[in-house]
């Protein structure tokens, strides 16, 4: 049943114009000395998705998430394009491996492209991240989800790193948009 659902979802996305590089989006097989990790974060905000998509829907203009972009190669939001940034003393290159966009939804999927990424107290051996921004509540609100699968030498530290890094980045965008986070279903009065 799960396989059918995934196959159907993949077929629908491809039919709607999504581009995906299937060899890059699999659950990574970790090398000896590293361990699998997975993290998913979700937020809901009381602003239309178009506002969040305008701020977060570009693979190349992603300073809000990765800090200054040092270099880019290819065409923005095209599968196979790369961006280079830095975290602390480490430089990394990510490749866009999946992209889908409509006026009410944006999906960016990217993977580490240049080998390992040493961070303060841990090393990411590989990762793939997906960020989805979509309209909810009749167009009055936004649902944001970010998911990562990775191989690391320290799973707990990697989880904490992603959780803090993402929360800080998404909160800064929400603050800039004067968006308030909410939980549960659509707040009364938003529709």
């Amino acid at each position: 049943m799960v396989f059918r659902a995934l196959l159907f979802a993949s077929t629908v996305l491809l039919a709607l114009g999504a581009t995906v590089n299937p060899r890059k989006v699999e659950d990574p097989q970790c090398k000896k000395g590293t361990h699998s990790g997975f993290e998913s974060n979700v937020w809901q905000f009381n602003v239309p998705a178009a506002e969040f998509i305008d701020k977060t829907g570009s693979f190349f203009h992603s300073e809000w998430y990765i800090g200054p972009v040092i270099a880019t190669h290819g065409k923005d939001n095209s599968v196979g394009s790369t961006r280079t940034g830095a975290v602390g003393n480490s430089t990394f290159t990510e490749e866009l491996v999946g992209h889908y966009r409509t006026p009410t939804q944006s999906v960016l999927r990217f993977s580490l492209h240049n080998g390992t990424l040493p961070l303060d107290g841990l090393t990411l051996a590989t990762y793939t991240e997906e960020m989805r921004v979509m309209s909810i509540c009749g167009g009055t609100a936004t649902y944001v989800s970010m998911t990562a699968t990775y191989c690391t030498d320290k799973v707990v530290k990697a989880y904490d790193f992603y959780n803090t890094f993402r929360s800080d980045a998404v909160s800064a965008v929400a603050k800039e948009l004067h968006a308030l986070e909410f939980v549960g279903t659509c707040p009364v009065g938003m529709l």
Side-chain angles (χ1 to χ4, degrees):
M1 185 67 167
V2 172
F3 176 74
R4 273 194 214 152
L6 289 173
L7 180 62
F8 176 75
S10 297
T11 304
V12 169
L13 282 175
L14 290 173
L16 293 173
T19 53
V20 176
N21 181 345
R23 66 183 169 78
K24 292 283 192 169
V25 296
E26 299 173 6
D27 188 19
Q29 298 298 311
C30 298
K31 295 177 182 176
K32 188 175 181 174
T34 64
H35 311 281
S36 296
F38 170 83
E39 183 162 350
S40 184
N41 303 87
V42 297
W43 302 267
Q44 297 165 177
F45 296 101
N46 68 342
V47 297
E51 294 183 34
F52 251 91
I53 291 170
D54 285 346
K55 292 285 183 191
T56 65
S58 168
F59 182 63
F60 285 172
H61 302 286
S62 52
E63 293 82 1
W64 71 272
Y65 185 53
I66 68 168
V69 175
I70 297 168
T72 61
H73 179 69
K75 182 180 174 190
D76 192 19
N77 291 343
S78 293
V79 170
S81 296
T82 60
R83 68 182 178 197
T84 301
V87 174
N89 294 324
S90 299
T91 301
F92 61 91
T93 299
E94 296 171 329
E95 179 183 358
L96 187 65
V97 296
H99 176 256
Y100 173 74
R101 187 167 179 168
T102 69
T104 60
Q105 185 171 200
S106 172
V107 178
L108 294 170
R109 189 178 300 137
F110 49 93
S111 293
L112 183 63
H113 183 68
N114 64 312
T116 62
L117 176 58
L119 299 168
D120 187 29
L122 70 119
T123 298
L124 292 172
T126 186
Y127 61 81
T128 296
E129 292 190 59
E130 180 178 280
M131 182 185 71
R132 179 178 305 266
V133 177
M134 61 187 274
S135 180
I136 58 172
C137 301
T140 62
T142 303
Y143 175 84
V144 178
S145 70
M146 297 179 83
T147 303
T149 57
Y150 48 84
C151 294
T152 182
D153 58 341
K154 297 186 174 91
V155 176
V156 173
K157 283 190 174 193
Y159 184 92
D160 291 344
F161 168 79
Y162 269 114
N163 189 52
T164 301
F165 189 77
R166 289 178 171 167
S167 294
D168 290 351
V170 171
S171 293
V173 172
K175 184 176 180 179
E176 185 179 335
L177 296 174
H178 305 289
L180 298 176
E181 186 175 3
F182 67 93
V183 295
T185 191
C186 302
V188 174
M190 287 190 74
L191 296 175

